[in-house]
C-alpha cells in the first residue's frame, strides 16, 4: 500500500516528514513510559524499567536492566525521567537484552566461529555455542527457538538472530528453574 502518490520528496517535504515521524515516535515513547510508570511518579525505578523491558520482549536479566539504568540515568538519581528514557532505546539496540560486555563477547565468539559478523552460523554452530555458554538445553529446545527466529528459514543464523536465540534459550532455562524452585 503506497503512502503517497509521489515518487520523490523535495528537501522541505523530507524535513516535514522527519518532523512528523519524530512527533509520532515521541508520542509512542511517552505512552510506553507512562504505562511503565506504575506509581505515577514521573520517573521509572529499576522495577518499573525491568518490567517494561520484559514486556517489550528484551527478556533482560536484572544485571542488564541495572546496566541500562546506570548508563541512561544522567543525574545519578537511581530513577530515569522521560528525557533519560529516550536514551534507553539506543542502549537496548546496542545490547539486545544482554549486558554490553555479554553482547560484545557473543560478537567475538560469532566472528571467531564464522570468520566475520556478516556470515551466518549453522545449526551445529548454535549447538556448540550453547555448550560453550553452558546452557542445559536439548536439541529440540534449540530447534524450536531457531524455528521462531530464523527469518529466512534457511537454517543459517545471523548475529542478530543469534542474540535472539540465546535470549530464547536463556528464557527457557529461567522458566525451568522457576518451575523447579516453585515445586
Amino acid at each position: 500500500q503506497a503512502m503517497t502518490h509521489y515518487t520523490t520528496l523535495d528537501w522541505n517535504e523530507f524535513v516535514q516528514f522527519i518532523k512528523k515521524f519524530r512527533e509520532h515516535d515521541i508520542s509512542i515513547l511517552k505512552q510506553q513510559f507512562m504505562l511503565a510508570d506504575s506509581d505515577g511518579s514521573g520517573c521509572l525505578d529499576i522495577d518499573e524499567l525491568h518490567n517494561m523491558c520484559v514486556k517489550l520482549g528484551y527478556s533482560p536479566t536484572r544485571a542488564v536492566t541495572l546496566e541500562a539504568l546506570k548508563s541512561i540515568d544522567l543525574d545519578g538519581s537511581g530513577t530515569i525521567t522521560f528525557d533519560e528514557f529516550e536514551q534507553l532505546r539506543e542502549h537496548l539496540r546496542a545490547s539486545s537484552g544482554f549486558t554490553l560486555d555479554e553482547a560484545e563477547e557473543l560478537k567475538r565468539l560469532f566472528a571467531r566461529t564464522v570468520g566475520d559478523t556478516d556470515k551466518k552460523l549453522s545449526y551445529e554452530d548454535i549447538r556448540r555455542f550453547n555448550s560453550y555458554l553452558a546452557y542445559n538445553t536439548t536439541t529440540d529446545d534449540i530447534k524450536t527457538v531457531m524455528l521462531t527466529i530464523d527469518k529466512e528459514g534457511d537454517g543459517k543464523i545471523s548475529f542478530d538472530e543469534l542474540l535472539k536465540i540465546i535470549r530464547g534459550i536463556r528464557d527457557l532455562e529461567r522458566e525451568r528453574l522457576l518451575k523447579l524452585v516453585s515445586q
Side-chain angles (χ1 to χ4, degrees):
Q1 155 179 327
M3 299 288 288
T4 178
H5 60 276
Y6 300 105
T7 57
T8 61
L9 298 174
D10 67 26
W11 179 250
N12 290 332
E13 291 170 325
F14 175 74
V15 169
Q16 187 63 27
F17 169 78
I18 295 299
K19 284 180 183 178
K20 290 287 184 189
F21 179 78
R22 179 72 176 139
E23 289 170 10
H24 175 72
D25 190 43
I26 293 294
S27 171
I28 289 171
L29 282 175
K30 282 184 180 175
Q31 287 174 340
Q32 289 174 338
F33 185 86
M34 290 177 1
L35 287 171
D37 184 15
S38 59
D39 63 4
S41 66
C43 293
L44 300 182
D45 63 24
I46 185 72
D47 293 326
E48 292 168 325
L49 183 62
H50 184 74
N51 290 336
M52 186 212 56
C53 288
V54 170
K55 286 179 185 171
L56 291 176
Y58 285 96
S59 304
T61 62
R62 195 80 168 166
V64 170
T65 304
L66 187 57
E67 179 185 81
L69 178 72
K70 286 179 180 178
S71 77
I72 60 178
D73 181 17
L74 303 176
D75 62 6
S77 65
T79 61
I80 58 170
T81 63
F82 179 74
D83 290 338
E84 293 168 324
F85 179 70
E86 285 188 84
Q87 305 300 314
L88 178 64
R89 181 174 33 196
E90 294 311 312
H91 180 85
L92 291 174
R93 284 182 181 157
S95 67
S96 298
F98 295 93
T99 65
L100 292 174
D101 287 343
E102 288 171 332
E104 193 57 39
E105 175 66 14
L106 289 170
K107 190 176 217 169
R108 280 193 298 274
L109 286 170
F110 183 91
R112 194 174 344 153
T113 303
V114 296
D116 183 351
T117 55
D118 291 336
K119 295 184 181 175
K120 294 188 173 193
L121 296 172
S122 67
Y123 165 77
E124 188 58 32
D125 295 326
I126 298 294
R127 195 185 60 68
R128 282 196 307 266
F129 251 82
N130 224 19
S131 294
Y132 178 80
L133 296 171
Y135 287 117
N136 186 26
T137 51
T138 66
T139 301
D140 288 341
D141 290 337
I142 297 169
K143 286 181 180 177
T144 300
V145 173
M146 277 183 69
L147 285 174
T148 63
I149 294 176
D150 182 13
K151 293 174 188 151
E152 294 85 24
D154 61 0
K156 300 292 182 181
I157 302 301
S158 69
F159 178 69
D160 289 336
E161 291 171 328
L162 172 69
L163 292 178
K164 290 175 185 172
I165 288 169
I166 298 297
R167 262 198 349 249
I169 289 169
R170 185 178 67 190
D171 290 348
L172 282 173
E173 290 261 314
R174 187 179 71 233
E175 287 172 24
R176 286 186 182 134
L177 284 172
L178 289 173
K179 275 185 184 177
L180 195 65
V181 170
S182 68
Q183 292 178 353

